[in-house]
RNA sequence: GGAGGCAUAGCUCAGCUGGUUAGAGCGCACGGUUCACAUCCGUGAGGUCAAGGGUUCGAGUCCCCUUGUCUCCACCA
């Protein structure tokens, strides 16, 4: 492909295709593709190290390499793009680094599934061939998600794109592993882990999801050896009874005091096991007797530890009952002295050996029943731990795994949030973060998968020594043997994503210019659903390895639900494909929908209605711009010396909007900011200013026309800048058609408040006239005066000179054929109908067109409302503590309001009596 | 069991550090094709801001409590 560096302006000349011949409706698809390509090929997304600028950097939460763009990505990336575009325009050295995550379990599961379709298994292929396939898969689908992110308009630096398994990230992983191992913060041991028999791997506590399932309580009778009585024990997992090595009672339980030190006979196996006293046995629950299976239950594991009970494993790791072969394997290890501490014994389950755990459950229950030792079966709803990937039931198993010792790592991470070094937005998520961080247990980081970072540990086949090193050692450090075998396992996918904010900037090379300039990153944007998985691990990792919190602000957003408020899911089939939405309505409309009217950290709903409203908004901007450009002759924008009243009004309003939107964006209040821009564009600019400007814009006075063109273009240009972070495409497209300095809108500077363009008095005067316009419109509409029926309007007001411009405005907007403003009431009001504002009365000779009775009702209603308000205001002013304690401005405002309402009431009364 | 969110117009939701008469979109009613836009314009109806209590000159906003609802964490023999 030809990649000539064409000077930017050549592209830019062609980037906009806006012209007089354009269709009346905006067609986003064509514009978006062309615009994104122009930005990218001109290097607009590049983060540039510039010591003169302040850095602002974001690391993108890496989507799964095999993933498809969904609404979660859309909201996440829209928010990041808004921030990065805003900061870039504000003059920061902005860098947004994208990338993808290898997503160990999810990806491996997909590859295995694809292989299964060909009749292949991992074992058939072998590790090397499997990895070849996996990389090929990654190449194929890794680009898909990256392309899809582009359609959203994401302005990230693709030249710095990373992948959690690329060379740079893998280097960081190795560095951290070795480091923690040397500090004894990573260890290997036999511990209770969550085992997914389908994925055939251990998973961390965080990866277990609890689902309510229908199950049963099986009440089994265990015979006490010494007394011959039967103890009733309820269990939800009867198949684990083969691994029981005790039953527990509470020491204080009066029912069982006589059984202290006794034994029970385990049914089916006829094995004698002790009765132990342990706090775990809850007198309130069930019969107060609980079976203890240390090898297959986390609580029982602890009980077993306290009482030195043997551990007996009766399940295989692929979900079957153990048998002779498993025992033989265990014995072989034992004989060669390679059993590690804490490894459970293995049981030959005899007739149950080889059954799946489900089959064994049925068989065991049937056998117990035949023996008369099944007392009852009780129905029960309970939460069952399931794998967050495949939703199979998790089996707790003792297994030899690698762990990260969390205690010392968690402490600084807790402190960073408590001290405000890291702030969550909204603040309430600090609590869920702290809750997670304070209660976290050691993190199981090894996975029995092939797709991932392989654990850098080599075991000596001769002496059993563990050698941990960055590269394969040639001989065992302890005995010198060359018979070394690398640990077959890989690391938890979150182990590498925990390092993401600094590994992508070059760490552990702390001299890397990117790392030096952009680290720590500024803002992290992500959903509340992965605070525990990811955010907290990045925080403790950053603090531990780089000595700095990896970011200072964590902006949390909610999830996008469907129109009924349900979570979007594959199984429900209610997911909305953002790509389809973009194709149909444009990325700008989707982006705006995702932020407008949403509040930080709260879930939001997708609805056709909302996206249509946003599509209409893009169309509104398009048409307003099209209208202005069609009739515009200026080729540079320069505000005129002479500003008309309405010019001052819109410029003054613009200042307010700039100030407020900037403030809102700096405080991550994107929803509010979007709403303000929307209102300013649609209501202030289109409905009022453009309509008012038409008098000059379409008029014959060349000088006036040029003046108003300049104001229109000036305001429009700032509007485009304000809107650009939210709707990058349409704003760029229109900007290119406006008279402008050569360059892209996305690289222009953010609008600033200009105090010399604030005109509070003119704003107020303009608003009085607008009140008058609205009052006339209301009256005409109420009485269905046809638009074609124009009428003269007499404005009666104390200060007629304040209504100098009202004639033009009322003519254009309120059906006036002529206007005069006077201070004294005309003598003859017959045939006139009057409307009132607080500042003026407006008389029109339309009495024959109105229904006097309904007009009287209308005025009376207004009057009542005003009188009620006056009462309220007067009470306030009569309140001494209000006068003395409230700020002066508030009191003055109320005083003004009193004057205003009093005047309005007077006007309304006059109108009533004149009817 | 612990923590948190939400409850505002018919519907979906905004409302930032308490301060005029609580807003938007959609829907509804009425009127409108005057050459930017009917994906539009104008006008209107519709809310005791879930209930109760408190702090305050002033509460949709802060505190307490109740109810309903959703979510997360923990537990569940």
């Amino acid at each position: 492909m030809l990649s000539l560096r064409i000077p930017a302006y050549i592209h830019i000349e062609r980037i906009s295709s806006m012209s007089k011949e354009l269709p009346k409706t905006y067609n986003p698809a064509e514009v978006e593709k062309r615009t994104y390509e122009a930005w990218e090929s001109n290097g607009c997304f590049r983060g540039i190290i510039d010591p003169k600028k302040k850095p602002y950097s974001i690391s993108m939460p890496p989507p799964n390499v095999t993933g498809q763009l969904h609404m979660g990505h859309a909201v996440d990336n829209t928010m990041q793009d808004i921030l990065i575009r805003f900061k870039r325009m504000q003059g920061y050295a902005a860098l947004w680094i994208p990338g993808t995550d290898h997503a160990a379990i999810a990806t491996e599961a997909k590859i295995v599934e694809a292989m299964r379709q060909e009749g292949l298994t991992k074992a058939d292929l072998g590790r090397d061939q499997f990895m070849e396939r996996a990389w090929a898969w990654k190449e194929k689908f890794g680009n898909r998600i990256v392309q899809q992110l582009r359609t959203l308009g994401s302005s990230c630096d693709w030249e710095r794109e990373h992948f959690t398994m690329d060379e740079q990230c893998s280097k960081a992983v190795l560095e951290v592993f070795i480091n923690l191992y040397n500090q004894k913060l990573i260890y290997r041991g036999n511990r209770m882990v969550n085992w997914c028999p389908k994925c055939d791997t251990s998973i961390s506590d965080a990866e277990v999801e609890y689902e309510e399932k229908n199950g049963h309580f099986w009440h089994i009778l265990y015979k006490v050896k010494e007394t011959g009585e039967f103890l009733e024990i309820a269990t939800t997992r009867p198949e684990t009874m083969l691994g029981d090595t005790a039953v527990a009672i509470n020491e204080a339980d009066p029912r069982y005091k006589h059984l202290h030190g006794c034994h029970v006979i385990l049914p089916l196996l006829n094995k004698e096991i002790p009765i132990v006293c342990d706090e775990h046995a809850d007198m309130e629950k069930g019969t107060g007797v609980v079976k203890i299976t240390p090898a297959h239950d986390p609580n029982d594991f602890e009980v077993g530890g306290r009482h030195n009970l043997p551990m007996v494993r009766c399940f295989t790791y692929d979900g079957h009952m153990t048998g002779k072969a498993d025992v033989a394997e265990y014995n072989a290890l034992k004989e060669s002295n390679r059993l590690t501490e804490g490894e459970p014994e293995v049981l030959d389950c005899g007739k149950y050996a080889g059954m799946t755990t489900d089959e064994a459950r049925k068989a065991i229950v049937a056998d117990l029943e035949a023996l008369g030792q099944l007392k009852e079966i009780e129905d029960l709803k309970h939460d069952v731990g399931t794998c967050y990937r495949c939703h199979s039931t998790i089996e707790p198993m003792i297994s030899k795994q690698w762990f990260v010792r969390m205690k010392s790592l968690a402490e600084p991470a807790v402190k960073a949030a408590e001290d405000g070094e890291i702030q969550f937005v909204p603040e309430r998520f600090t609590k869920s973060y702290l809750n997670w961080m304070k209660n976290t247990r050691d993190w199981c980081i090894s996975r029995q998968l092939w797709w991932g970072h392989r654990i850098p540990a080599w075991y000596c086949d001769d002496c059993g020594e563990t050698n941990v090193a960055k590269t394969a050692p040639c001989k065992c450090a302890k005995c010198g043997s060359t018979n070394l075998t690398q640990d077959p396992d890989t690391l938890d996918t979150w182990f590498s994503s925990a390092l993401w904010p600094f590994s992508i900037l070059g760490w552990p090379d702390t001299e890397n210019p990117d790392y030096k300039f952009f680290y720590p990153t500024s803002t992290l944007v992500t959903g509340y659903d992965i605070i525990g998985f990811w955010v907290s691990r990045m925080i403790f990792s950053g603090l531990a390895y780089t000595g700095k919190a990896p970011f200072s602000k964590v902006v949390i957003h909610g999830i996008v639900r469907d129109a009924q408020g349900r979570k979007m899911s594959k199984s429900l089939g209610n997911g909305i494909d953002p790509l389809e939405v973009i194709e149909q309505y444009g990325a700008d409309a989707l982006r705006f929908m995702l932020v407008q009217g949403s509040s930080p950290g709260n879930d939001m709903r997708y609805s056709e209605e909302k996206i249509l409203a946003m599509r209409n908004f893009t169309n509104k901007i398009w048409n307003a711009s099209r209208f202005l450009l069609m009739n515009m002759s200026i080729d540079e924008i320069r505000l005129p010396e002479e500003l008309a009243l309405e010019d001052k009004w819109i410029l003054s309003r613009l200042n307010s909007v700039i100030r407020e939107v900037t403030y809102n964006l700096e405080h991550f209040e994107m929803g509010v900011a979007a709403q303000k821009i929307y209102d300013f564009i649609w209501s202030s600019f289109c409905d009022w200013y453009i309509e008012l400007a038409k008098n000059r814009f379409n008029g014959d006075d060349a000088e006036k026309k040029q003046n108003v063109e300049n104001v229109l273009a000036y305001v429009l240009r700032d509007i485009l800048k304000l809107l650009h972070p939210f709707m990058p495409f349409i704003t760029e497209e229109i900007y290119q058609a406006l008279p402008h300095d050569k360059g892209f809108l996305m690289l222009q500077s953010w609008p600033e408040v200009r105090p010399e363009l604030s005109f509070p008095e003119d704003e107020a005067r303009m608003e009085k006239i607008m009140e008058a316009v609205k009052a006339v419109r209301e009256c005409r509409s109420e009485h269905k005066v046809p638009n074609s029926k124009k009428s003269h309007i007499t404005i009666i007001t104390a200060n007629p000179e304040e209504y100098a411009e009202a004639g033009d405005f009322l003519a254009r907007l309120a059906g006036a054929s002529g206007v005069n403003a006077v201070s004294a009431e005309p003598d003859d009001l017959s045939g006139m109908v009057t409307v009132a504002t607080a500042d003026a009365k407006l008389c029109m000779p339309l009495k024959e067109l109105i229904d006097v009775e309904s007009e009287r009702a209308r005025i009376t209603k207004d009057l009542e409302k005003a009188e009620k308000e006056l009462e309220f205001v007067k009470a306030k002013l009569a309140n001494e503590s209000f006068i003395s304690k409230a700020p002066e401005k508030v009191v003055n405002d109320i005083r003004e309001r009193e004057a205003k309402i009093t005047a309005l009431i007077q006007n309304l009364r006059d109108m009533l009596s004149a009817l």
Side-chain angles (χ1 to χ4, degrees):
Chain A
M1 200 206 254
L2 196 66
S3 63
L4 274 179
R5 287 302 302 273
I6 301 167
Y9 65 87
I10 292 183
H11 272 266
I12 296 162
E13 291 294 347
R14 291 193 278 115
I15 166 174
S16 175
S17 62
M18 259 193 112
S19 75
K20 292 177 189 186
E21 285 75 38
L22 272 189
K24 290 209 292 188
T25 51
Y26 172 60
N27 172 19
E30 183 268 335
V31 171
E32 292 184 356
K33 190 167 180 295
R34 170 162 48 77
T35 304
Y36 197 89
E37 279 167 8
W39 285 330
E40 193 171 2
S41 62
N42 282 281
C44 295
F45 303 151
R46 211 173 282 149
I48 295 164
I49 296 176
D50 181 350
K52 293 192 293 293
K53 292 181 172 181
K54 280 204 274 185
Y56 183 86
S57 55
I58 299 180
S59 69
M60 176 190 290
N64 290 354
V65 68
T66 61
Q68 272 266 49
L69 193 78
H70 55 66
M71 280 297 170
H73 299 124
V75 67
D76 205 50
N77 284 280
T78 295
M79 288 177 66
Q80 291 172 77
D81 199 41
I82 288 170
L83 291 176
I84 206 85
R85 284 179 186 272
F86 169 57
K87 292 291 180 180
R88 192 184 286 124
M89 291 175 82
Q90 272 195 324
Y92 287 80
L95 171 65
W96 182 18
I97 303 193
T100 47
D101 190 297
H102 66 284
I105 296 188
T107 306
E108 181 152 328
K110 282 189 183 166
I111 297 166
V112 167
E113 173 59 24
M115 282 163 46
R116 201 185 57 83
Q117 310 249 332
E118 297 173 42
L120 289 168
T121 66
K122 276 166 76 180
D124 295 338
L125 233 55
R127 189 158 191 146
D128 290 345
Q129 275 198 45
F130 175 87
M131 287 302 279
E132 260 176 48
R133 273 184 172 247
W135 278 104
W137 177 283
K138 183 259 164 189
E139 288 312 317
K140 189 171 169 195
F141 294 108
N143 283 330
R144 185 177 65 181
I145 185 87
V146 157
Q147 286 308 323
Q148 291 172 339
L149 286 170
R150 284 177 162 89
T151 66
L152 273 171
S154 312
S155 64
C156 39
D157 189 344
W158 295 110
E159 292 167 24
R160 283 184 170 91
E161 182 186 343
H162 278 285
F163 173 54
T164 46
M165 273 169 74
D166 67 17
E167 205 189 326
Q168 189 172 315
C169 294
S170 300
K171 213 172 148 189
V173 166
L174 264 185
E175 180 77 20
V176 166
F177 189 96
I178 308 274
N179 227 306
L180 291 181
Y181 180 79
N182 289 338
Q183 293 179 65
K184 301 210 175 348
L185 290 174
I186 281 185
Y187 65 93
R188 188 172 185 236
N190 283 298
R191 293 269 313 263
M192 182 63 65
V193 299
N194 308 292
W195 192 273
C196 174
K198 174 134 181 261
C199 299
D200 209 7
T201 180
S202 57
I203 59 176
S204 69
D205 294 340
E207 287 165 322
V208 178
E209 279 179 4
Y210 290 88
E211 288 175 12
E212 190 175 75
K213 288 189 177 174
N214 288 319
H216 305 282
F217 252 145
W218 283 273
H219 294 251
I220 305 172
L221 299 173
Y222 285 36
K223 185 174 184 181
V224 179
K225 180 187 143 202
E226 285 81 358
T227 65
E229 69 192 284
F230 283 91
L231 284 180
E232 182 182 335
I233 298 177
T235 177
T236 53
R237 297 194 300 155
E239 66 280 11
T240 63
M241 66 161 285
L242 301 182
D244 286 1
T245 55
V247 299
I249 53 175
N250 195 297
E251 189 162 20
D253 196 331
R255 290 170 292 183
Y256 306 115
K257 281 236 148 101
H258 63 293
L259 295 179
H260 291 189
C262 293
H263 299 78
V264 295
I265 307 294
L266 190 58
L268 305 177
L269 294 181
N270 288 320
K271 180 175 147 189
E272 183 182 318
I273 54 174
I275 297 174
V276 299
C277 293
D278 193 277
E279 66 206 28
H280 174 58
D282 185 340
M283 289 187 283
E284 309 295 320
K285 276 188 188 165
T287 55
V289 190
V290 54
K291 62 197 267 314
I292 302 297
T293 322
H296 295 294
D297 181 280
N299 288 307
D300 294 3
F301 178 76
E302 284 176 19
V303 177
R306 285 196 285 270
H307 298 274
N308 254 325
L309 297 172
M311 294 182 286
V312 174
R313 178 162 74 87
C314 57
F315 298 161
T316 65
Y317 292 99
D318 61 356
H320 293 75
M321 304 306 284
T322 48
K324 284 194 170 58
D326 304 293
V327 174
E329 199 181 309
Y330 173 83
N331 287 336
L333 277 177
K334 194 173 180 180
E335 275 154 29
S336 63
N337 223 359
R338 304 228 312 272
L339 273 188
T340 44
E341 198 191 331
E343 189 137 344
E345 293 165 32
V346 180
L347 179 76
D348 176 3
C349 295
K351 64 179 281 199
Y352 310 109
M355 291 182 181
T356 66
T357 51
D358 278 350
E359 289 162 357
R361 174 178 295 183
K362 289 192 187 94
I364 286 170
V365 166
D367 290 348
L368 285 170
E369 191 161 23
L371 285 172
Q373 283 183 274
L374 182 70
K375 193 177 170 223
E376 67 166 306
I377 303 173
E378 188 186 335
D379 286 336
L380 165 83
K381 265 194 179 153
H382 62 153
D383 288 339
V384 177
T386 64
C387 172
Y388 85 123
R389 280 295 165 198
C390 71
H391 294 276
S392 321
T393 301
I394 291 299
E395 294 290 354
M397 300 273 266
I398 291 178
S399 173
K400 198 190 303 178
Q401 303 288 344
W402 289 90
F403 295 88
V404 174
R405 217 181 289 282
M406 286 302 300
K407 196 169 179 292
S408 64
L409 292 169
E411 276 165 10
V414 167
K415 194 168 178 292
E418 284 177 342
D419 293 354
E421 189 184 350
I422 291 179
Q423 291 175 335
F424 283 78
V425 181
E427 205 268 328
R428 65 172 185 272
F429 289 102
T430 311
K431 215 163 180 179
S432 42
Y433 163 78
L434 285 175
N435 183 46
W436 196 91
M437 201 45 113
K438 285 178 175 171
N439 297 317
T440 185
R441 290 193 279 181
D442 285 0
W443 174 17
C444 175
I445 51 169
S446 45
R447 296 289 181 275
Q448 289 62 57
L449 301 170
W450 287 350
W451 177 241
H453 302 94
R454 192 146 174 197
I455 291 174
W458 285 262
Y459 308 114
C460 177
D461 296 339
D462 295 324
C463 73
E465 173 74 0
T466 301
N467 297 271
V468 168
K470 281 187 186 170
T471 51
C474 357
K475 57 184 178 44
C476 173
K478 191 176 174 192
C479 73
S481 162
T482 52
N483 294 325
L484 297 172
T485 310
Q486 188 175 3
D487 192 308
D489 290 355
T490 53
L491 289 166
D492 180 4
T493 215
W494 299 102
F495 192 87
S496 54
S497 22
L499 319 179
W500 186 249
F502 41 97
S503 64
I504 56 177
L505 288 169
W507 190 90
D509 174 13
T510 51
E511 288 306 305
N512 184 305
D514 276 0
Y515 179 79
K516 283 174 83 170
F517 188 70
F518 289 113
Y519 190 79
T521 65
S522 312
T523 309
L524 176 82
V525 178
T526 195
Y528 58 69
D529 47 337
I530 52 173
I531 291 177
F533 275 121
W534 192 46
V535 179
S536 45
R537 284 166 180 164
M538 279 191 289
I539 293 175
F540 83 69
S541 300
L543 288 165
Y545 319 141
T546 71
K548 292 172 188 163
F551 30 73
S552 47
K553 294 272 196 298
V554 183
V555 177
I556 299 289
H557 61 251
I559 59 172
V560 186
R561 296 171 175 277
D562 74 359
Q564 281 87 51
R566 297 171 305 178
K567 232 174 179 167
M568 290 184 181
S569 75
K570 274 183 194 154
S571 52
L572 274 173
N574 62 341
I576 304 288
D577 183 355
L579 296 168
E580 284 175 22
V581 177
I582 289 171
E583 202 183 309
Q584 200 176 352
Y585 302 109
D588 285 336
L590 174 63
R591 290 166 63 112
F592 211 75
M593 189 214 80
L594 290 172
V595 293
Q596 191 252 25
S598 75
S599 73
N602 282 7
D603 291 351
M604 62 204 94
R605 295 189 194 202
Y606 176 88
S607 75
E608 199 70 18
E609 204 178 76
K610 272 192 221 168
I611 194 81
L612 279 172
M614 294 310 128
R615 189 275 313 265
N616 293 352
F617 180 50
T618 58
N619 204 46
K620 184 75 186 174
I621 301 162
W622 180 256
N623 274 300
S625 307
R626 196 170 60 99
F627 167 64
L628 299 181
L629 291 166
M630 267 189 320
N631 300 292
M632 203 168 268
S633 51
I634 53 171
D635 47 21
E636 72 177 312
I637 303 171
R638 187 181 295 163
L639 282 181
E641 302 280 320
E642 286 284 308
L643 291 170
L645 176 66
E646 65 272 31
D647 299 340
K648 290 180 179 171
W649 174 77
I650 193 73
L651 289 168
S652 205
R653 294 275 305 110
L654 176 65
N655 257 346
S656 306
V657 171
I658 292 170
R659 188 181 54 246
E660 290 172 27
V661 167
T662 306
Y663 177 90
N664 289 138
L665 283 178
E666 275 167 349
H667 292 82
F668 308 102
E669 294 156 4
M670 295 176 232
V672 186
Q675 187 60 47
K676 283 176 183 163
I677 297 170
Y678 179 97
D679 288 341
F680 182 73
I681 292 175
W682 203 309
S683 169
S684 304
F685 188 62
C686 292
D687 290 346
W688 284 99
Y689 185 67
I690 291 181
E691 289 308 318
L692 294 175
K694 280 177 180 174
N695 284 335
R696 285 177 288 161
F697 196 53
N698 291 338
D700 301 325
D701 187 323
E703 197 189 326
K704 282 187 176 171
K705 178 166 163 57
Q706 193 177 332
N707 285 354
V708 79
E709 277 185 19
N710 272 294
V711 181
L712 282 163
Y714 179 89
V715 176
L716 177 60
R717 187 176 58 187
D718 272 4
I719 281 174
L720 295 174
K721 289 181 179 180
L722 290 173
L723 185 60
H724 180 262
F726 300 88
M727 293 192 158
F729 293 112
I730 191 171
T731 51
E732 184 74 79
E733 175 76 357
I734 296 168
Y735 181 80
Q736 294 305 329
L738 266 181
H740 69 291
D741 302 329
K742 298 299 177 200
F744 289 98
L745 173 61
M746 74 168 279
L747 301 177
Q748 300 303 308
S749 58
W750 187 250
E752 278 178 22
V753 174
R754 294 176 59 181
E756 75 276 19
L757 294 180
S758 274
F759 308 101
E761 293 85 11
D762 300 273
E763 233 186 296
R765 188 158 75 81
M766 181 68 209
E767 257 142 48
K768 281 182 188 170
I769 299 178
M770 288 164 70
E771 286 300 313
V773 169
K774 283 192 254 186
V776 173
R777 277 173 170 176
E778 186 186 332
C779 177
R780 290 176 61 104
S781 178
E782 196 73 19
H783 297 288
K784 302 198 185 9
V785 177
N787 285 358
S788 55
K789 174 79 184 173
K790 308 289 179 194
S791 85
H792 185 89
I793 297 177
T794 302
I795 304 171
I796 306 157
T797 172
N799 304 301
E801 69 281 3
E802 292 204 321
Y803 287 80
E805 295 88 347
D808 289 344
F809 298 165
L810 286 164
R812 179 164 283 277
L813 304 177
S817 55
V819 175
N820 66 315
V822 295
S823 55
E825 200 140 328
D827 298 333
D828 182 16
L829 282 173
S830 61
M832 300 288 246
V833 62
T834 307
V835 296
T837 69
D839 192 61
K841 284 189 270 188
L842 297 103
C843 306
M844 297 166 280
L846 291 171
K847 199 160 188 178
E848 76 280 6
L849 290 177
I850 69 158
D851 176 62
V852 173
E853 277 320 301
S854 70
E855 182 65 4
R856 191 189 305 282
R858 195 170 72 86
I859 297 169
T860 308
K861 202 179 147 199
D862 286 353
L863 189 58
E864 276 167 8
K865 200 175 148 196
E867 278 167 342
K868 219 170 164 184
E869 204 196 327
L870 183 65
E871 220 173 289
F872 169 78
V873 168
K874 280 200 155 140
K876 247 191 158 169
L877 289 171
N879 184 341
E880 245 174 70
S881 42
F882 171 72
I883 304 287
S884 58
K885 288 186 183 174
E888 206 181 317
K889 185 182 180 307
V890 175
V891 177
N892 284 340
D893 284 354
I894 294 275
R895 288 216 168 96
E896 263 175 46
R897 204 171 129 202
E898 187 200 21
K900 245 179 149 175
I901 302 162
T902 310
L904 179 65
I905 288 173
Q906 187 55 50
N907 286 347
L908 289 168
R909 287 201 176 123
D910 290 352
M911 281 163 58
L912 266 187
S913 52
L915 263 180

